[in-house]
Amino acid sequence: MTVELDTHPPASPPSVPAVRLRRFRSPLWIRGFRSAAGTTPGRLRALLAAMLLAILVVCLTGAEAVADLRNTTVTAADRTSPTVIDAALVRVLLADADRVAVQGLLPTAGGQRTTNGPGGAYQDDIKSVEQALERARTTGLTGLPMVQTVNDQMVLYVGDVAQAQAYAAVLAASAGSDSSPGSDSSKTVDLSVVYLSYAAEQLRTSNGALATVEKFRLENRSRLPNRGWGPWPLLVVQLTLGTVLLGLVVGAQLFLRRRFHRRVSLELAGIAAIVVLICGWTTAQSVSTSRALDEGVRETDRVTCLSQARALAALADRDYRYGAHPTLVASTARPPQEGACATATPNYQEHPTAAQAARFLDGQDSAEVSRELRTFLSAPPAANDHDSAYLRVDRSLRQLQENHLPQLTRAWDDALPSRGLEWILIACSVGAAGLTLVAFVPRLREYRKSS
Amino acid sequence: MTAARSFLAGLCALAVVLGSTSCAGGSPSRTVSVLGTWVGDEGNLFVDEVLKPFEKSTGIDVQYEGTRDFSAVLESRVRDGDPPDLALLASPGQLQQYAQDGQLVPLDGKTSGIQLDRIRAEYTPAWLHSGLATDAGGIQRQFGVVVRGKRKNVIWYSQAAWGRARLAQPRTWEDLVKVTGDITSSAPLASSGSAWCAGLRDSSSSGWPGTDWIEDIILRDAGADTYRSWYQGTLPWTSPQVQNAWLAWKRIIEVSPAPQTTTGMLLDGIQYGEEEMFHNPPACYLRRIGYLQTSDYQRHAADFGYFDLPPAGGGPQNIEIAGDLLTMFRQSDQAADLVNYLTSVEAQDVWVKPGGAISPNKRVTAYPDETTNSLAQSVNDANLGNVVFDASDAMPLTMRNAFYQAVLEFVAEPDRLPAILKNLDVVRCQAYPEAASLHGCP
């Protein structure tokens, strides 16, 4: 290999103008760098440093982007999405508990009353609420004091239902025989009904448990990634630096060919291939994860909206039963103001109009289920079909929910970046750095020997 | 090599700058946590108006949390070993319980930092007295100070509606029963509404508005000493004095037709009447409530009127009060500073200005009108012996809850009164083991 040493001094300065201007004097280290960079070894060293720095930045931004993708996916899949789904489930369970309590404790139209109370379904609902709240407390990212508030409200709710049950039991036991001599039953009020109303208040006022848990859900929902989220700023930096690095590789190849007559440097070709691989892989992974995250968030919304629909049906069924009680003028439990299922059902209310109900499941899966829900919400079902009408609607909605769960799991699995991708990126970068050194260090040694 | 060294030096300098920047501002801030019952407008008034000047002048950050389920939240925090620095108890019964359990810091301790001498000079003795409790060693100490007071046993009405209906202001219980009957039986009046704005429903403590009726009647008919022995557990619920109070209330309840009226009472919230009393025609004419929301008061301040019935047997007027007791669960200089500030004329002036409350500090003059000022003065001018705290608030928790429930049972079925009172005596014997053993308990 023929080596042509370049020991030319830097180009001579331009001629001094007639009027001497006061010249800005660069700092010593800049002047030293300029004079050194003017020589071939200086240029080699500058190229080496610039390429190593670019490789480092490309590597770091790539690793950081992948780590970002992984963290966001893991947080969404393991924490935010389960919290949002659990919060929506708490609404379903509380609404159903209240429905079951009213069904179990109010007398029938014929005035008959059971002494069993709300029974196992109510207990199961309450236990499930406690478990769902505990999970939400563990996984929730924000608004955790609201979980405590819901817990406190639930304690009061359970206390009121227990009181209703106690009075219902007394009334059931004394049915047919007046236990209070001298009392006129037509002038007395059924306290089990009153306590059911108090219990409903714990759930359904504007700051009741249903509204609080909905607020908690919305706060955590806002922590799910926005549509089209990705580590785009990092990718822009990486692709820019990757392009610069490719430019440096081309520049280095031209420089080596001119000064050292090397037609093609295999090391530089390898570096270019690695840079394209790193940038391409990172970009492809980001796009893929971003799409999967969108799908995961969409599925989370679908599942929670179906929960909202189930809660709505349970509350409607409860109100049909409660409102039928002869001594009660109207339910004093007011619907919560904050009941919006944010993205899919902006017009959702606890008691939607028929038009709102029609839109409720728009974009959801089943027109048949939507129709069933709309029919159920628009008017109380016939007396002989009451129990089965609610159960039919709830079963259909639950079935739809269950159909969505595998899609949700798949979306989160798809969103997770390939295992060990960060380490592969780092290994590739180390390889690129090694090839850079192999390309430049022997040339520098040749200069050192000859000098 | 020079270039490389310079580059490294630059990086180091940058690191030092970044490091020092990130460390700046890390000085610990002084905070005080406060738990109370005020939410909504009351909470905003406290945070935005009362606390702001304190935070600005001291640099102390006050973290206030208001909750409607105060008792449950406080109990759970104390149980978890994470109480707030300061808590605003509504009940001397709770104050006694926490003091007895050794959870509270006495405010009269030499190292507490509380300006108790100043507070004693500025406070009306009756208010100060309500913050006393006995510690685990049986010594009576100052464990709380009232910071926001309420005058109870008064009846509110709309002057405009009252004038339009040409109703005479009652002077005796018989008058009150008659006015109730007149409104109920008068076709034009009854067609628009009922005599009383009486809602008994209130979140975790439904029934409490009814306890005010019983307390007021016992205080008016039987006197302050009987009233005290009743809430202290020595006077049985089945005693004639207590039984007569329930029967007197029954006369008012039964003026209106049942069960519509009683259903309404049981299902309406305590807020019922805030607006309804001022409609034209009004939905109801009279309201017995221990306190008025500030925003409620402000809306109708010019139209509010009140009266209190004189004692049945003559003599000086007995006054019933209630208030929020500021207590210290965790001692710190900043907590002491906040207690000193909240009891001062400066803070109290800000607090009472919008209306709806009276101050325990007798030097406060910033009341919004003569109505509120006269309520405050009625407490300041009364003898200590004629001022009593809300009885249900002063009772032990189990007794208080049983009282609330008894009110609901009574309204739902007034004829069950003997059984209801008997049941309350059973609870009394368990709730006051030391006092009740002497008076009719097995």
Side-chain angles (χ1 to χ4, degrees):
Chain A
M1 189 189 302
T2 314
V3 176
E4 187 187 331
L5 291 177
D6 181 359
T7 53
H8 295 302
S12 57
S15 58
V16 178
V19 181
R20 270 187 85 89
L21 295 173
R22 189 180 170 194
R23 291 184 61 190
F24 171 73
R25 286 179 65 81
S26 307
L28 185 64
W29 67 275
I30 290 180
R31 276 182 281 140
F33 182 77
R34 273 190 194 148
S35 69
T39 63
T40 297
R43 282 176 188 161
L44 278 175
R45 274 195 288 270
L47 267 175
L48 175 63
M51 285 181 65
L52 285 177
L53 189 65
I55 288 169
L56 181 70
V57 175
V58 167
C59 170
L60 286 180
T61 49
E64 180 62 26
V66 173
D68 239 14
L69 292 169
R70 193 180 303 284
N71 286 342
T72 305
T73 304
V74 168
T75 305
D78 294 350
R79 298 195 63 178
T80 325
S81 173
T83 305
V84 169
I85 290 172
D86 272 331
L89 180 65
V90 166
R91 276 177 65 93
V92 178
L93 294 166
L94 284 173
D96 191 62
D98 203 36
R99 184 190 72 81
V100 173
V102 165
Q103 185 181 3
L105 294 174
L106 283 186
T108 61
Q112 286 159 345
R113 198 191 280 274
T114 65
T115 51
N116 302 333
Y122 169 80
Q123 300 296 346
D124 288 347
D125 280 340
I126 295 298
K127 198 183 287 178
S128 300
V129 170
E130 287 168 352
Q131 288 166 350
L133 285 175
E134 192 51 44
R135 285 197 302 272
R137 193 201 307 275
T138 315
T139 56
L141 291 179
T142 179
L144 294 182
M146 281 188 267
V147 176
Q148 182 60 47
T149 305
V150 175
N151 249 327
D152 294 340
Q153 286 167 325
M154 209 182 66
V155 169
L156 298 172
Y157 171 80
V158 170
D160 283 338
V161 172
Q163 286 288 0
Q165 186 173 356
Y167 285 112
V170 170
L171 288 167
S174 64
S177 65
D178 195 342
S179 61
S180 309
S183 75
D184 180 353
S185 62
S186 68
K187 289 186 176 177
T188 62
V189 178
D190 182 342
L191 272 180
S192 68
V193 179
V194 171
Y195 269 101
L196 282 173
S197 172
Y198 294 167
E201 191 198 3
Q202 303 298 343
L203 301 186
R204 297 170 70 170
T205 48
S206 58
N207 51 5
L210 290 178
T212 308
V213 81
E214 178 64 1
K215 210 167 157 190
F216 172 74
R217 184 186 76 80
L218 289 173
E219 275 197 20
N220 280 276
R221 167 65 183 76
S222 70
R223 296 294 185 95
L224 279 171
N226 292 329
R227 191 174 169 74
W229 179 91
W232 310 127
L234 281 171
L235 278 186
V236 167
V237 174
Q238 190 199 38
L239 289 174
T240 308
L241 262 294
T243 311
V244 169
L245 185 53
L246 286 177
L248 287 171
V249 167
V250 171
Q253 174 61 46
L254 293 175
F255 181 72
L256 290 180
R257 196 168 69 180
R258 195 168 63 244
R259 295 293 165 90
F260 299 93
H261 305 296
R262 288 178 68 88
R263 195 172 292 276
V264 175
S265 164
L266 289 178
E267 296 86 357
L268 290 176
I271 295 166
I274 290 173
V275 169
V276 170
L277 179 73
I278 291 176
C279 293
W281 200 349
T282 313
T283 307
Q285 182 65 69
S286 299
V287 170
S288 153
T289 296
S290 176
R291 280 190 187 148
L293 281 175
D294 282 352
E295 184 58 19
V297 173
R298 226 174 357 252
E299 286 303 317
T300 304
D301 281 343
R302 282 182 183 143
V303 171
T304 52
C305 284
L306 286 163
S307 285
Q308 301 282 30
R310 289 180 63 197
L312 188 64
L315 289 171
D317 189 55
R318 181 259 181 218
D319 285 353
Y320 294 151
R321 292 169 193 279
Y322 188 83
H325 194 270
T327 62
L328 220 64
V329 181
S331 164
T332 52
R334 297 178 188 89
Q337 298 303 305
E338 295 187 42
C341 182
T343 50
T345 56
N347 291 318
Y348 170 77
Q349 291 173 7
E350 192 177 304
H351 298 289
T353 62
Q356 286 164 343
R359 284 199 296 272
F360 185 71
L361 291 178
D362 276 1
Q364 297 277 352
D365 318 61
S366 167
E368 179 59 25
V369 178
S370 179
R371 193 189 56 76
E372 270 182 36
L373 178 67
R374 194 163 62 245
T375 308
F376 185 76
L377 295 176
S378 59
N384 59 352
D385 189 35
H386 200 144
D387 288 338
S388 56
Y390 166 75
L391 292 175
R392 215 166 36 238
V393 169
D394 187 61
R395 196 167 41 238
S396 304
L397 291 167
R398 202 170 57 233
Q399 185 60 53
L400 274 182
Q401 262 188 317
E402 282 166 10
N403 293 346
H404 277 290
L405 289 176
Q407 294 172 38
L408 179 65
T409 311
R410 198 165 47 245
W412 296 136
D413 286 345
D414 291 347
L416 211 58
S418 313
R419 187 183 294 242
L421 179 56
E422 298 94 321
W423 293 109
I424 294 172
L425 289 177
I426 290 169
C428 286
S429 304
V430 169
L435 287 174
T436 311
L437 290 172
V438 170
F440 287 95
V441 171
R443 307 288 88 77
L444 287 167
R445 278 199 187 131
E446 288 168 19
Y447 268 98
R448 206 173 294 153
K449 277 181 195 164
S450 60
S451 62
Chain B
M1 286 307 285
T2 315
R5 269 204 303 273
S6 301
F7 181 67
L8 279 175
L11 274 181
C12 289
L14 186 66
V16 168
V17 169
L18 287 175
S20 61
T21 309
S22 67
C23 290
S27 60
S29 58
R30 299 200 303 155
T31 59
V32 187
S33 57
V34 182
L35 185 70
T37 53
W38 305 313
V39 291
D41 290 339
E42 304 282 306
N44 294 340
L45 170 67
F46 181 54
V47 173
D48 297 338
E49 307 287 331
V50 181
L51 289 179
K52 270 279 158 59
F54 172 77
E55 290 180 306
K56 205 172 169 185
S57 65
T58 61
I60 295 170
D61 177 26
V62 182
Q63 295 172 343
Y64 172 72
E65 185 188 344
T67 168
R68 289 170 70 205
D69 300 314
F70 173 83
S71 299
V73 172
L74 180 63
E75 198 181 320
S76 119
R77 300 239 174 116
V78 170
R79 197 176 46 240
D80 296 346
D82 182 31
D85 295 322
L86 300 172
L88 288 143
L89 308 179
S91 144
Q94 257 185 326
L95 178 83
Q96 181 54 56
Q97 190 65 53
Y98 284 120
Q100 191 97 42
D101 294 348
Q103 302 285 357
L104 291 176
V105 178
L107 305 181
D108 52 11
K110 281 180 184 165
T111 57
S112 70
I114 307 295
Q115 300 162 350
L116 204 60
D117 288 341
R118 179 200 42 91
I119 295 171
R120 281 183 179 134
E122 292 179 355
Y123 265 47
T124 303
W127 289 114
L128 207 56
H129 194 259
S130 51
L132 293 174
T134 48
D135 64 13
I139 300 167
Q140 193 173 59
R141 303 189 68 171
Q142 193 79 40
F143 279 102
V145 277
V146 174
V147 288
R148 189 166 161 83
K150 302 154 196 167
R151 166 73 209 277
K152 302 196 98 173
N153 72 330
V154 294
I155 295 166
W156 297 92
Y157 63 94
S158 154
Q159 294 181 43
W162 202 257
R164 282 193 302 271
R166 295 180 185 167
L167 295 164
Q169 201 175 81
R171 298 292 304 159
T172 65
W173 192 259
E174 289 304 321
D175 289 350
L176 194 63
V177 175
K178 185 174 179 308
V179 165
T180 305
D182 288 349
I183 295 171
T184 309
S185 59
S186 157
L189 299 183
S191 64
S192 65
S194 55
W196 289 90
C197 317
L200 298 176
R201 179 172 60 81
D202 182 28
S203 186
S204 60
S205 47
S206 293
W208 77 258
T211 64
D212 283 355
W213 282 87
I214 306 299
E215 289 161 9
D216 181 25
I217 299 168
I218 292 176
L219 185 61
R220 196 178 51 82
D221 286 353
D225 290 338
T226 306
Y227 179 94
R228 286 194 190 91
S229 62
W230 166 56
Y231 77 67
Q232 285 164 358
T234 52
L235 182 70
W237 289 82
T238 44
S239 65
Q241 297 96 316
V242 179
Q243 189 160 11
N244 287 341
W246 290 83
L247 291 172
W249 187 31
K250 188 181 175 201
R251 291 179 65 197
I252 298 277
I253 294 172
E254 290 191 337
V255 167
S256 306
Q260 291 90 339
T261 308
T262 46
T263 303
M265 282 177 73
L266 290 165
L267 293 183
D268 283 335
I270 49 163
Q271 302 85 356
Y272 181 67
E274 277 178 7
E275 285 301 325
E276 292 83 349
M277 200 164 74
F278 298 95
H279 292 166
N280 185 12
C284 48
Y285 286 82
L286 294 155
R287 190 169 180 223
R288 175 187 288 286
I289 186 85
Y291 76 102
L292 295 163
Q293 296 275 357
T294 300
S295 53
D296 173 29
Y297 187 84
Q298 283 174 327
R299 274 197 301 277
H300 306 289
D303 194 13
F304 262 123
Y306 79 90
F307 59 84
D308 47 1
L309 299 178
Q317 182 82 35
N318 291 314
I319 307 281
E320 184 185 344
I321 57 171
D324 296 291
L325 286 152
L326 186 61
T327 55
M328 190 184 279
F329 279 82
R330 288 196 298 202
Q331 188 171 3
S332 67
D333 289 347
Q334 52 267 37
D337 287 348
L338 184 57
V339 173
N340 291 332
Y341 169 73
L342 290 176
T343 53
S344 69
V345 176
E346 180 195 355
Q348 292 288 323
D349 269 344
V350 177
W351 224 334
V352 299
K353 209 167 189 173
I358 57 175
S359 172
N361 190 319
K362 60 187 176 221
R363 295 190 185 167
V364 167
T365 54
Y367 293 108
D369 50 41
E370 188 44 40
T371 304
T372 319
N373 188 40
S374 68
L375 283 172
Q377 289 311 315
S378 68
V379 184
N380 293 343
D381 297 343
N383 292 325
L384 182 59
N386 294 113
V387 181
V388 293
F389 208 84
D390 184 295
S392 59
D393 286 344
M395 290 173 182
L397 190 62
T398 47
M399 189 74 254
R400 180 166 27 132
N401 288 339
F403 190 9
Y404 293 168
Q405 199 175 327
V407 164
L408 300 176
E409 289 179 3
F410 175 71
V411 172
E413 199 172 350
D415 292 336
R416 282 193 63 241
L417 181 62
I420 291 168
L421 294 180
K422 213 169 162 186
N423 185 44
L424 283 172
D425 263 340
V426 173
V427 177
R428 178 180 69 96
C429 292
Q430 292 155 359
Y432 306 87
E434 69 294 338
S437 59
L438 305 170
H439 300 89
C441 291

